[in-house]
Amino acid sequence: MKNRIYTLILLIGVISLQSCDQDFEELNVDPTKTTEMDLSYKFPSAVLYVSGQRYESWRANLIYSSTMIQHIANTETYWSGDKYLLNTAYAEAFWTAMYPQAIKSIEDMKYGLEQMGDSTSVDYAIVNTLGVYQYQKITDLYGDVPYSEAGKAFIDKDFRPVYDKQEDIYADMLNTLEQSVEIFETGGTSSLGSADILFEGDVNKWRKWANSLMLRLAMRMTKVDETAAQEWAQKAIEGGVMESNDDIAYVVHEEGNGIVQNGNGETFTADGTPRMSDTFIEFLQDDPRLTIYSSLPEDTGEEDANGDPILRSEEERLDPDAQIGLPNGLDGSMLRELTGETDTQDYSEPNRLYMTSEAAPMFFQTYAEVEFMLAEAAFRWGIAGGDAEAHYNAGVRAAMNYLELYSPNAAISEAEIDEYLEDNAYAEEDALEQINTQYWAATFLNEIESYSNWRRSGYPDLTPVNYPGNVTNGTIPRRLTYMTSEQSTNAENYNAAVQSQGPDLLTTRIWWDVE
């Protein structure tokens, strides 16, 4: 089990980065003087910024990504992704949070290592691997974004970075991962030790994660450049990807203040209205994950004779027969018209007992995801041993077994998994739909990844909503819109990106997202 996040992060690492705000022009002002500061103080903070805080977790991961692919539903209109409405402040939230925090931190560490002539070390490869993970999330949400010039303005004083084409970003990220793997394979060691709150300095696990990220990048390209996708997938597999749940890339969080908390958990505590989508609840019928992912709210919304709230017991909250999903695309008046109900207290919520506390772990990439990608690679190209069924089965098993990392109460027995696989056996004729629908289920709460893989694969086959006034003509959005201030503060590069990629709309498809 990983070490707990230590107080040193709060005393030094976080303090050094708290001066960052959400103004993109300020992201490159260097208040920390990296070369004068030990990497072990900066790295944990960077990882926690990558994991995400309430601000961007709520707006990008949940309000938009989760509701658009129908893991979560909400009747409140500020949950705009549920209804395909454009809230520019929410759509740009991941951008405004991650560039001045996570990206700045990563580029700052890279610059410091380069200044010390340390650009071929294991530590440099670790920072680069973390950077690829974070840049992929940004480009997958927005498309063409600042990349080659991101985080560099405190060096060259250029506060208006160009937007790199997503195709070029992907090519560079793949090469970066390849170089990082080569460094990991040399047998060097990391200086981070316990400051590496992902893998505690285990270089072999970093190698597996770098290759697993390479596989993720490769599979994202299947529709736009299948030849390259297969070549990079083969390279990743030969280099060695995750082999068990022991290799999962995840962060252990703690209850407290600031970035030590799980950003999703902060959101669910602050906003008590998210409900499980009926699409997802329907999928989870006869699935042992149902009452691990889902529970009824503790508060029934009713009061007793004394005016005190009537609360459900834990047994009542976890009753599988009582789990009800909320349809997507409704507001309060539409719910009343449809059901006669005035609140959503009888609808299931993401499980607050096991999975959505402030101390819940945050998963960057799981072994289950890797196995599902291997299953698709085997089906498409006959690689990864050529046995798609074996990888599919391993993916389902891993997706259920890893849930005990949330809570011992979330453990699923091998007998339950065996029964599920018997009832949901791999079928060659439905392989891509089966594999990617299971991927969608396994990435619950890692919604940006789930949304990206849905756009790439088209599975599961979701029925869009058509809420009045939506801006997509009743189609599920394909990207999020850029930070609005870029239209004035970085107009030349913003306009060039729009000219290259297409209008800055929710409906514009990014490079790898082709019909």
Side-chain angles (χ1 to χ4, degrees), residues 485-496:
S485 65
E486 285 284 280
Q487 298 174 32
S488 56
T489 61
N490 194 15
E492 181 179 353
N493 292 313
Y494 168 86
N495 290 329

Side-chain angles (χ1 to χ4, degrees), residues 151-360:
K152 300 293 179 64
F154 76 87
I155 302 170
D156 58 24
K157 307 304 179 185
D158 181 1
F159 296 101
R160 294 169 177 80
V162 300
Y163 289 50
D164 297 87
K165 293 181 181 295
Q166 187 177 49
E167 180 178 6
D168 297 335
I169 295 172
Y170 260 67
D172 190 76
M173 290 192 299
L174 286 164
N175 288 330
T176 297
L177 289 173
E178 183 178 33
Q179 293 163 9
S180 296
V181 169
E182 290 174 357
I183 292 173
F184 294 142
E185 288 176 342
T186 62
T189 59
S190 169
S191 69
L192 289 168
S194 60
D196 173 8
I197 58 173
L198 281 171
F199 296 120
E200 296 186 334
D202 189 326
V203 177
N204 191 44
K205 288 189 177 181
W206 275 102
R207 176 187 61 81
K208 291 179 183 179
W209 190 34
N211 281 315
S212 299
L213 285 175
M214 188 186 297
L215 180 60
R216 177 187 280 182
L217 288 162
M219 298 308 294
R220 204 77 95 225
M221 301 190 299
T222 51
K223 288 185 177 179
V224 72
D225 190 345
E226 187 167 8
T227 299
Q230 180 178 349
E231 290 174 353
W232 281 104
Q234 182 68 45
K235 183 172 300 208
I237 294 165
E238 291 176 351
V241 294
M242 294 180 186
E243 299 177 292
S244 74
N245 282 339
D246 290 338
D247 297 327
I248 291 175
Y250 73 104
V251 178
V252 175
H253 282 283
E254 294 182 350
E255 293 182 353
N257 295 311
I259 61 175
V260 299
Q261 298 180 97
N262 180 296
N264 288 336
E266 289 185 89
T267 298
F268 290 120
T269 296
D271 187 340
T273 61
R275 297 293 179 257
M276 297 290 283
S277 168
D278 66 342
T279 302
F280 199 24
I281 290 294
E282 182 179 352
F283 171 83
L284 291 169
Q285 296 304 302
D286 301 317
D287 188 316
R289 290 172 288 192
L290 174 60
T291 52
I292 295 173
Y293 282 171
S294 172
S295 65
L296 291 179
E298 184 179 27
D299 191 342
T300 64
E302 300 177 353
E303 296 180 347
D304 62 20
N306 297 321
D308 296 323
I310 299 175
L311 304 180
R312 294 183 176 95
S313 67
E314 182 172 330
E315 182 180 5
E316 290 173 320
R317 295 176 69 185
L318 296 175
D319 179 0
D321 295 326
Q323 304 304 315
I324 304 174
L326 178 70
N328 287 92
L330 302 180
D331 58 27
S333 62
M334 294 169 72
L335 179 67
R336 285 193 297 274
E337 182 179 342
L338 182 66
T339 67
E341 297 168 336
T342 58
D343 61 46
T344 61
Q345 293 305 107
D346 290 333
Y347 290 88
S348 301
E349 64 182 358
N351 192 323
R352 296 289 291 152
L353 294 165
Y354 301 159
M355 297 185 66
T356 58
S357 73
E358 293 92 330

Side-chain angles (χ1 to χ4, degrees), residues 12 91 140 188 315 400 412 450:
I12 301 178
D140 283 354
E315 182 180 5
M400 295 189 180
I412 298 173
S450 200

